[in-house]
């Protein structure tokens, strides 16, 4: 456990030095900002985004922005080790391949949670800027709950992309292209792939019995089983690949 905590601390220190991380976190304001501008420019008699619940449906963040950001962060974390030659040193020490992988996954997990937490904050601020009259503490809590669930489960859904990152070694393009295909397919076929496509399963879990009017029919148990199996297989395959690779 101490070895894992030390490795996580090392990963966080390395990320702290990268300016890109700050920009990545600030990108969490992109969707709320676009939503604010869009809502403020709607006609007064419109039926779109008339309530706070309609405003905070962050489908684009869930489906496209967060997966892409996590893919870039994951690629950067793994790429840096190989580029600087520190991966060879870690293997000489030696650091367990399992510890090596888990430390990076936990860092990605923490980033995802923080990203969605900021998304929730920017969304609430935007709602107050627009002047919604139906904002309540219960709805704000609901928003933060949705964001935290999205941050947690999206990381699980992105583990197949982490496996691709491990295979790709120093390549950025392959994982990012895979992420775009992965995210778009999950979006387009969401209603048909819940319980099959991990990102569709995330939507099935997060929006289960929702009050926001998001129409998605999904078997909750099937979605959870899908994410658990994908997570186990992806982590196992990533560890196996790391052990077989030469540095």
């Amino acid at each position: 456990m101490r070895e894992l905590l030390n490795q996580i601390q090392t990963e966080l220190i390395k990320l702290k030095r990268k300016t890109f991380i700050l920009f990545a976190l600030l990108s969490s304001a992109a969707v709320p900002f676009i939503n604010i501008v869009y809502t403020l420019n709607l006609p007064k008699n419109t039926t779109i985004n008339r309530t706070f619940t309609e405003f905070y449906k962050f489908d684009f963040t869930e489906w496209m922005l967060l997966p892409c950001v996590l893919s870039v962060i994951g690629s950067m974390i793994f790429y840096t080790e190989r580029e600087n030659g520190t991966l060879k040193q870690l293997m000489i020490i030696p650091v367990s391949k399992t510890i090596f992988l888990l430390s990076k996954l936990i860092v990605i997990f923490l980033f995802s949670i923080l990203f969605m937490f900021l998304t929730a904050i920017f969304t609430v601020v935007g709602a107050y800027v627009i002047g919604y009259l139906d904002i309540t503490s219960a709805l704000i809590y609901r928003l933060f709950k949705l964001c935290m669930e999205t941050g947690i489960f999206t990381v699980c859904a992105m583990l197949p992309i982490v496996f691709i990152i491990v295979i790709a070694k120093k390549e950025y393009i392959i994982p990012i292209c895979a992420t775009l295909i992965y995210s778009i397919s999950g979006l387009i076929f969401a209603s048909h792939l819940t319980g099959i496509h991990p990102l569709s399963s995330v939507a099935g879990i997060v929006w289960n019995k929702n009050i926001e009017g998001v129409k998605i029919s999904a078997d909750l148990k099937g979605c959870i089983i899908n994410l658990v199996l994908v997570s186990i297989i992806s982590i196992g395959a990533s560890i196996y690949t790391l052990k077989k690779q030469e540095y």
Side-chain angles (χ1 to χ4, degrees):
M1 178 60 75
R2 177 169 292 184
E3 183 183 2
L4 177 59
L5 292 175
N6 289 338
Q7 193 64 27
I8 292 171
Q9 184 179 21
T10 302
E11 294 292 342
L12 291 174
I13 291 172
K14 286 188 291 187
L15 281 182
K16 187 179 179 181
R17 299 169 184 166
K18 295 185 178 296
T19 308
F20 175 79
I21 296 299
L22 177 60
F23 286 107
L25 288 173
L26 289 177
S27 69
S28 61
V31 175
F33 177 76
I34 292 171
N35 206 3
I36 292 169
V37 174
Y38 171 72
T39 303
L40 289 175
N41 284 279
L42 288 171
K44 291 185 178 180
N45 60 346
T46 185
T47 58
I48 301 173
N49 281 5
R50 294 186 65 180
T51 64
F52 179 49
T53 53
E54 290 179 352
F55 176 76
Y56 70 62
K57 294 179 198 176
F58 43 88
D59 292 2
F60 181 76
T61 300
E62 177 184 347
W63 287 106
M64 295 296 294
L65 186 57
L66 180 59
C68 287
V69 171
L70 292 181
S71 175
V72 173
I73 295 297
S75 297
M76 185 176 65
I77 289 175
F78 282 91
Y79 177 83
T80 301
E81 301 284 8
R82 299 180 187 276
E83 181 70 13
N84 297 338
T86 52
L87 185 55
K88 291 181 180 179
Q89 298 173 15
L90 288 172
M91 296 304 110
I92 293 172
I93 294 175
V95 172
S96 164
K97 302 289 174 57
T98 302
I99 296 295
F100 174 77
L101 179 67
L102 290 180
S103 64
K104 295 185 181 300
L105 293 182
I106 290 173
V107 169
I108 294 172
F109 172 81
L110 293 174
F111 178 90
S112 182
I113 293 294
L114 181 56
F115 184 94
M116 292 309 300
F117 181 78
L118 291 174
T119 296
I121 290 176
F122 289 129
T123 300
V124 172
V125 171
Y128 276 109
V129 169
I130 293 172
Y132 286 109
L133 300 177
D134 62 331
I135 301 175
T136 63
S137 57
L139 286 178
I140 292 175
Y141 172 78
R142 167 72 177 167
L143 169 61
F144 274 87
K145 180 176 178 289
L146 288 171
C147 284
M148 292 303 97
E149 289 177 354
T150 300
I152 292 169
F153 293 121
T154 301
V155 173
C156 297
M158 291 301 293
L159 289 175
I161 300 298
V162 171
F163 174 55
I164 293 175
I165 291 172
V166 171
I167 294 176
K169 294 185 177 181
K170 295 183 180 181
E171 291 290 334
Y172 269 106
I173 298 177
I174 295 175
I176 292 175
C177 289
T179 299
L180 290 174
I181 296 171
Y182 188 65
S183 300
I184 292 172
S185 62
L187 171 62
I188 295 175
F189 304 107
S191 59
H192 304 289
L193 295 179
T194 51
I196 300 173
H197 193 300
L199 283 177
S200 299
S201 294
V202 171
I205 295 171
V206 172
W207 296 110
N208 181 55
K209 297 180 180 179
N210 68 87
I211 62 172
E212 291 79 15
V214 177
K215 297 179 180 180
I216 183 166
S217 57
D219 175 29
L220 182 60
K221 290 183 179 179
C223 291
I224 294 173
I225 290 172
N226 176 236
L227 282 185
V228 170
L229 289 177
V230 166
S231 299
I232 293 172
I233 293 171
S234 298
I235 291 174
S238 297
I239 293 172
Y240 177 82
T241 302
L242 282 170
K243 288 180 178 180
K244 291 295 182 180
Q245 286 178 342
E246 295 182 358
Y247 307 99

